[in-house]
Amino acid sequence: MVFQNTYRGFLYRQLFTTPPPITSSTVSLAGQTGIVTGSNTGLGYHASSQLLSLGLPRLILAVRDPTKGEKARSSLLAILKESSQGSGKSQPQVEVWPVDLTNYTSIIEFANRVRDTPNLHVNFIILNAGVARFGFEPSPNGNEITIQTNWLATALMAITLRPILQAQYIQAMRTATNGHTPQPPVLSIVGSEVAQWAVFKERKIAASDPHTSVLGVLNDPKNFNPGDRYYTSKLLLTLFFREFVDRLPSAKNDVVVNLVNPGLCYGSELHRSITGPLGAVFGGMKRAIGRSTEVGARTLVHGAVVAGKETHGCYLSDEKVAPWMDFVITAKGEQAAHEIWKELSEELRGVINIDGVMEQTGV
């Protein structure tokens, strides 16, 4: 096991490594448009604030609750106005678009809106939205909500938005003038190093019963382990990511896809379901070793607008390419990724044809 993947490595990074801020001398966002999911609070909110401070002229806040999204929009613009007083800069265009990750129809409608909005060319998307529940909670479609949000819905967002980014990029290349060549679009997915620590007993249970699946086991309340469910959801997302990248039409894909680990951060609402004495203890632990959401958000901004083509298919931590979790690069991990992809295809069968969408090249 590499040091990066040990508990000591985790604590070392949390206590002694601080991802540097992204500055306007590092990157220019002039003329660009970005989308950030889960952007009304926590990491998504702070990443949005940093992107706007870097001069991003158009930002789409993709949120479940439009009211909270509008509140975040007003706050972001107020902060930007205060910080840029006297600079003569014009206010950016910040929009609130609803998307409910517990509803597949809402995700498809969101993707269609990105595709069909006139004169929209999205340069990057940060898929940040996620939840952590310490009690079993089914989503409206029946899937346990942590698995639904962190794995299934995020996967559907990535699969449907990638060919749209590709098509918009091809169109931008065709219409580019004065020797200006657009940068390849980026689809940056927020993962987590906790995938390393997942027990993932559900796969073993499913393997012992030919009449069930990993998702079926995850959706059974008797198998819910509050200490492992979030870890497992991030492992499933990581397994999906690796299979997703492997299945991209490599000869006709310009979209840079990467997976970003922001580290453990305090100040977000990710663990808001932990209440009482346990919540107080956990909150104290996050304060002791956690990063602020402002610092953690730097890694999201880096992955989306700085990292570049060389990070395609990579896992990033502390703004650097990092080694994969031990399990995912083993033969068993690769087999698990194939199995998870098959289950995902089955789950989304009535929503999209995954293989058909994956073959889309935007031409």
Side-chain angles (χ1 to χ4, degrees), residues 102 135-146 148 219 221:
T102 67
F136 186 89
E137 180 183 338
S139 60
N141 67 5
N143 295 321
E144 192 274 319
I145 197 164
T146 308
Q148 169 66 28
N219 285 334

Side-chain angles (χ1 to χ4, degrees), residues 245-264:
V245 171
D246 284 348
R247 290 172 178 264
L248 289 175
S250 57
K252 297 181 180 179
N253 174 66
D254 296 292
V255 181
V256 176
V257 185
N258 56 39
L259 187 70
V260 175
N261 168 45
L264 177 66

Side-chain angles (χ1 to χ4, degrees), residues 121-124 169 173 181-187 254-256 304 308-309:
H121 171 211
V122 178
N123 300 91
F124 63 87
Y169 174 70
M173 289 287 287
T181 302
Q183 292 296 312
V186 176
L187 179 61
D254 296 292
V255 181
V256 176
K309 292 187 291 185

Side-chain angles (χ1 to χ4, degrees), residues 109-292:
E109 290 174 347
F110 178 85
N112 289 343
R113 185 176 180 183
V114 175
R115 181 194 65 198
D116 298 336
T117 297
N119 302 316
L120 178 63
H121 171 211
V122 178
N123 300 91
F124 63 87
I125 299 175
I126 301 175
L127 297 182
N128 158 76
V131 300
R133 294 288 188 269
F134 283 74
F136 186 89
E137 180 183 338
S139 60
N141 67 5
N143 295 321
E144 192 274 319
I145 197 164
T146 308
I147 297 301
Q148 169 66 28
T149 305
N150 297 355
W151 169 34
L152 300 169
T154 302
L156 180 58
M157 290 281 280
I159 290 167
T160 54
L161 289 169
R162 197 280 311 171
I164 296 170
L165 288 176
Q166 176 70 15
Q168 292 181 351
Y169 174 70
I170 290 174
Q171 180 60 28
M173 289 287 287
R174 289 171 178 165
T175 57
T177 57
N178 299 325
H180 172 69
T181 302
Q183 292 296 312
V186 176
L187 179 61
S188 192
I189 304 173
V190 179
S192 176
E193 62 201 323
V194 301
Q196 169 70 25
W197 311 329
V199 176
F200 198 23
K201 66 176 183 179
E202 294 84 1
R203 182 171 182 251
K204 296 179 181 178
I205 296 173
S208 66
D209 184 351
H211 302 294
T212 190
S213 62
V214 170
L215 182 58
V217 175
L218 289 163
N219 285 334
D220 188 337
K222 75 172 183 288
N223 297 317
F224 184 81
N225 179 349
D228 187 62
R229 182 51 56 97
Y230 179 72
Y231 297 175
T232 292
S233 74
K234 288 300 186 179
L235 174 58
L236 289 166
L237 178 63
T238 303
L239 293 171
F240 156 76
F241 176 88
R242 286 175 58 85
E243 191 74 8
F244 175 60
V245 171
D246 284 348
R247 290 172 178 264
L248 289 175
S250 57
K252 297 181 180 179
N253 174 66
D254 296 292
V255 181
V256 176
V257 185
N258 56 39
L259 187 70
V260 175
N261 168 45
L264 177 66
C265 301
Y266 63 81
S268 74
E269 296 184 5
L270 180 65
H271 301 99
R272 58 183 175 271
S273 66
I274 310 178
T275 58
L278 179 60
V281 171
F282 192 76
M285 183 271 290
K286 288 176 69 176
R287 273 286 178 177
I289 66 172
R291 298 168 172 167
S292 69

